[in-house]
Structures are given as C-alpha cells and as structure tokens.
Amino acid sequence: QEGEPHLAATARPTVALVSDTMAAALGDTITVTGPAGSVTLPLQGADVVDGVVWVPMNSPGCHIHADLGAVPGTVVQVTAGGAA
C-alpha cells in the first residue's frame, strides 16, 4: 500500500481487540505498553480470550515491533484511555 493512497484508503481502521468483558471495563480507548514504548488505540470487543489483547503488527499509526518492542506473545500492559 505504500505510495498508493487509493489502495491504502481501503484498509480497515486500526483497532485493538479484546474480549467483550474487557471492552466493557476499559471503555473506548486503551494504551498498550511494551518493553520499548506504548501506543494508544481505539478499542473493540471481539471473540478474544479474557486477558488477551490483539493489535495489528503493522498498520497506519501502529507498528508494534518498532513502537512497543513486542512480537506476538509478548506480555504487555493494557490501561484504559490514553497514555498519561
């Protein structure tokens, strides 16, 4: 999609997915913090195990390996709302 604005415009919005139970407790936005930093994303409830957060590895404004220093399976901290 790089360099192709029309194709990039068709991408799904970047969101974090958590269980419906967690989504109800956390609100509309969460901050995910890993070993190297944090990202704040809109939150959506989904069919995800409680205690797990799913985020896209590489999407507009969200580059998990570079921003968080995380790979799939890395333990991260999740807090409600934006970064303090």
Side-chain angles (χ1 to χ4, degrees):
Q1 295 179 5
E2 192 171 322
E4 180 50 59
H6 300 291
L7 181 59
T10 66
R12 295 173 59 182
T14 302
V15 296
L17 302 179
V18 296
S19 70
D20 291 331
T21 303
M22 285 181 64
L26 291 168
D28 295 331
T29 306
I30 62 170
T31 297
V32 181
T33 304
S38 63
V39 294
T40 299
L41 297 168
L43 183 61
Q44 182 176 331
D47 187 16
V48 177
V49 175
D50 278 333
V52 171
V53 60
W54 179 92
V55 293
M57 281 296 294
N58 192 23
S59 63
C62 183
H63 308 283
I64 297 307
H65 184 67
D67 296 342
L68 300 183
V71 296
T74 299
V75 175
V76 295
Q77 180 182 18
V78 176
T79 53

